[in-house]
Amino acid sequence: MNRLFSVLCLCLLPWGVFAHETAKRGIIFDHPWIRATAPNAMMAAGYFKLINGGFEDDRLVTATANFAKKVEIHETIKEGDVSKMRAIAGGIDVPQEAEFIFQPGGLHLMFRGLDKQMVAGEKFIVEMEFEKAGKVMVEFLVEKAGKRGHDHSGNMKSGTGHH
Ligand SMILES: [Cu+2]
């Protein structure tokens, strides 16, 4: 029993269970962060791991932030050797038990028309609206590019379980 418990803990630790995480009705945002920007940048990207640990399928409809004119959900697509990003209109389905990893080179939030510079160490609230869970206020921490160690292959994952 003890052993099982410690194994579980080890498994969860890298995902920052004790770090910052937002959860509402089973919708979990793990380690939301925004890439630090240059002083005059008009855009910034936001990343996190999104898990639907609730009891029903849901849908991330929109996101808004008071420091940006517009927040879009972007995906990165490869056309030959060129990576392009594209806005996903209408939000994304988040089925029960699904896990999405928003990360550099994949899905991300795009903050457009920035009001201010994103300085490492600062925190910003982003309002994420779900069809069923409603509004979820998520606190993002600004971090320098390249600081994040884990680079999972694949842009999007769904299904159960940890990595
Ligand atoms: Cu983008």
Side-chain angles (χ1 to χ4, degrees), residues 18-35:
F18 307 112
H20 76 291
E21 177 182 281
T22 300
K24 187 183 176 192
R25 285 186 60 180
I27 297 290
I28 298 164
F29 281 89
D30 188 21
H31 200 144
W33 66 288
I34 293 172
R35 188 189 292 248

Side-chain angles (χ1 to χ4, degrees), residues 27 29 43-48 50 58-65 68-77 84-94 100-103 105-112 126-131 138 140 155-156:
I27 297 290
F29 281 89
M43 294 201 290
Y47 309 103
F48 46 80
L50 168 61
D58 210 331
R59 182 173 180 78
L60 171 57
V61 187
T62 53
T64 49
K69 289 199 173 57
K70 207 173 173 193
V71 186
E72 296 175 344
I73 300 167
H74 278 193
E75 63 182 340
T76 309
I77 40 173
K84 289 182 179 172
M85 37 183 212
R86 179 166 77 183
I88 300 177
I92 53 171
D93 282 323
V94 186
F100 291 90
I101 298 174
F102 281 58
Q103 64 184 344
L107 284 168
H108 56 279
L109 282 188
M110 200 91 239
F111 302 100
R112 312 187 67 145
V126 178
E127 201 176 282
M128 312 282 267
E129 174 130 24
F130 287 82
E131 211 167 78
V138 183
F140 282 69
N155 295 343
M156 187 170 80

